[in-house]
Amino acid sequence: MAMVALDELLASARVATLPMRVKFRGVLEREVVLLEGPAGWAEFSPFVEYDDAESARWLASALEAGWVGYPAPVREWIPVNATVPAVSAAEVPAVLGAFDTVHTVKVKVAEAGQTLGDDAARVGAVRHLLPDARIRVDANGGWDVEQAVRALTMLSVFGLEYAEQPAASVADLAAVRRALSGSVLIAADESVRKATDPLAVARAGAADLLVVKAAPLGGVRQALEIVAEAGLPAVVSSALDSSVGIRTGLALAAALPQLPYACGLGTVSLMGGDVVPDSLVAVAGGIAVRDVTADPELLDRFAATAERRDWWLERLRRCHALL
């Protein structure tokens, strides 16, 4: 991990507030910190509810991106999925309309305050619009074992590529996987990126594949090591990043020895603004690996309020002290 003086980080830091086209993770705005280092632009954007210890890994990833650079790629084009948040079935066509050619769709399910009927209607709407697409669902750990088995048994009629984090704990993931007996593949996300032991999932036989995100795991190289040690197929995903953060996800996807699944790196299409003029969005179902540069005019246009800027810079200070 690169160690960079705090004063150098603060001098380059720009805080942006990017509007969302639809509510995602309960928010209509995404706040990000952009840092410029000798290797390029980097993003520090742990979600606001994350504590400093967890958020420090996101800063380590940003330091790798901006001050070390990325490992050599083994591919130059990354297939990506479209993402459908927990919207009503009636809103699905508009959400999918923001994406280019769609071959794979991730659908959010198990949203607080919604029902399994809402989930089925949303997934069914996607299947109706895209009869040949691969569909995966993401519960973000929102079900217990019984709920997950019942829900995935019902939703499997639409043909699921896999279910991402259907339950919260590693033990519950393993129980869901055993109960489904291979009828629906299980992917682990939070049980990898938010865990003190990201390899526990593989040891417990709790998942068929891993969803990996570079920033929460401490950077591209650290994520590559975890995937190699786990010995499971990997899907690279984003954390609702700007194009600068998506560039880090592309670097991870480009460096993996094998990439059997489309990646969740198309979320810039859900945003109503970005910090680069040539956003990293999918064309023909994928994104070409390339560098991006934050634009001063866009950084000014989407600049956070002074209060939010101070909040993020103080967070940056605290996380830097933990590295």
Side-chain angles (χ1 to χ4, degrees):
M1 182 185 67
M3 283 307 299
V4 182
L6 177 60
D7 287 347
E8 183 176 352
L9 297 181
L10 294 174
S12 74
R14 298 291 300 271
V15 184
T17 302
L18 303 176
M20 302 296 300
R21 298 183 189 275
V22 292
K23 186 176 287 188
F24 195 91
R25 294 187 90 260
V27 301
L28 285 170
E29 292 181 326
R30 178 69 166 120
E31 294 177 331
V32 299
V33 178
L34 288 310
L35 304 166
E36 186 178 13
W41 282 88
E43 180 171 324
F44 171 65
S45 58
F47 294 111
V48 295
E49 67 270 21
Y50 289 3
D51 65 25
D52 291 347
E54 185 173 357
S55 300
R57 295 198 294 267
W58 298 59
L59 182 55
S61 175
L63 298 185
E64 177 192 48
W67 278 262
V68 177
Y70 301 121
V74 298
R75 62 186 59 82
E76 299 293 338
W77 188 84
I78 309 301
V80 302
N81 63 260
T83 300
V84 175
V87 297
S88 69
E91 296 174 275
V92 167
V95 172
L96 289 176
F99 295 89
D100 190 73
T101 305
V102 177
H103 302 295
T104 305
V105 185
K106 179 166 81 170
V107 185
K108 292 287 185 177
V109 293
E111 182 84 354
Q114 295 187 5
T115 68
L116 181 53
D118 296 324
D119 294 336
R122 186 180 312 114
V123 178
V126 173
R127 176 55 74 208
H128 175 73
L129 288 168
L130 300 169
D132 299 321
R134 290 177 288 276
I135 297 177
R136 53 186 69 160
V137 296
D138 181 7
N140 291 115
W143 292 317
D144 61 27
V145 173
E146 182 180 352
Q147 290 169 332
V149 172
R150 182 165 64 93
L152 294 177
T153 300
M154 175 185 288
L155 296 176
S156 66
V157 301
F158 297 112
L160 299 182
E161 184 179 36
Y162 61 76
E164 183 175 331
Q165 201 69 41
S169 71
V170 172
D172 284 354
L173 279 184
V176 172
R177 184 168 180 256
R178 286 194 301 269
L180 293 172
S181 302
S183 60
V184 178
L185 297 181
I186 301 300
D189 177 10
E190 285 87 348
S191 290
V192 177
R193 64 180 168 89
K194 294 176 72 69
T196 55
D197 181 3
L199 296 174
V201 167
R203 286 197 301 270
D208 299 285
L209 60 143
L210 304 180
V211 177
V212 290
K213 300 177 181 179
L217 293 174
V220 173
R221 289 170 177 82
Q222 180 68 16
L224 289 171
E225 289 183 12
I226 289 170
V227 173
E229 290 188 47
L232 293 174
V235 179
V236 178
S237 188
S238 74
L240 200 59
D241 309 315
S242 76
S243 284
V244 172
I246 293 295
R247 173 65 182 96
T248 299
L250 290 175
L252 173 54
L256 282 169
Q258 304 294 328
L259 195 68
Y261 295 95
C263 293
L265 297 172
T267 49
V268 172
S269 294
L270 298 174
M271 293 179 166
D274 196 8
V275 296
V276 307
D278 51 342
S279 293
L280 289 172
V281 295
V283 176
I287 304 176
V289 178
R290 58 181 172 85
D291 292 331
V292 293
T293 300
D295 180 74
E297 180 180 338
L298 292 172
L299 290 172
D300 288 341
R301 182 187 309 174
F302 295 113
T305 65
E307 179 183 5
R308 294 307 298 165
R309 181 179 186 276
D310 290 345
W311 186 92
W312 275 97
L313 294 186
E314 180 57 33
R315 191 186 201 189
L316 179 62
R317 291 185 181 94
R318 296 195 309 269
C319 291
H320 184 271
L322 295 175
L323 295 178

